[in-house]
Every structure is written in C-alpha cells, then in structure tokens.
Amino acid sequence: MVTGYCVVCGRPDKENGKNIEMMDSPKPKINQTARGGYMAKGICSKCKKTKMCAMMSKDNAEKAIESGEAEKDF
Ligand SMILES: [Zn+2]
C-alpha cells in the first residue's frame, strides 16, 4: 500500500495524519524527482479529498508499480 501524510486528517493532531493509505481509484501516481528519488502522489483514503504525496525508496516505488498499487508516471 502506498501511504502518505494528510494535512487535513493530521489537523489538529499530527499523528493522525501519518501513514494514511492513498485511494485505489484513482490510483496513486509515482514520479521520479530531479534528484532521482521517487514521489507518490495520490488522494487521502480517509477524507477522500486531500491530495497527498510521499517520498518512496526505489524498491518500494518499483514494488508498488509492479503490484499495480500505483501507476508509473515518469
Ligand atoms: Zn485526509
């Protein structure tokens, strides 16, 4: 699962916004950053409206794309 931080769900308690799964549909998209890192962008599955992004390791990014959890966008 691709998870990230939601600023809306994390308000006022930041802990609540951590490690929230991104929605399956639309699927999270994984981009490669200029520095060669991987960044997943998706929508919070908890409040279903907030855009969220998360840095991912190469391994996790490739795994998520391979398993169909996220779309390759680079
Ligand atoms: Zn949220």
Side-chain angles (χ1 to χ4, degrees), residues 27-72:
K27 277 187 189 176
K29 287 191 158 96
I30 296 181
N31 273 299
Q32 204 167 9
T33 67
R35 286 181 164 190
Y38 293 83
M39 172 110 81
K41 283 184 186 171
I43 297 168
C44 174
S45 63
K46 210 164 163 184
C47 60
K48 298 187 165 50
K49 60 184 178 190
T50 308
K51 284 184 186 153
M52 55 203 284
C53 57
M55 294 301 298
M56 293 180 92
S57 67
K58 188 172 188 282
D59 277 2
N60 283 340
E62 282 172 354
K63 248 183 245 170
I65 292 166
E66 238 170 65
S67 64
E69 284 170 18
E71 277 174 11
K72 188 175 173 175

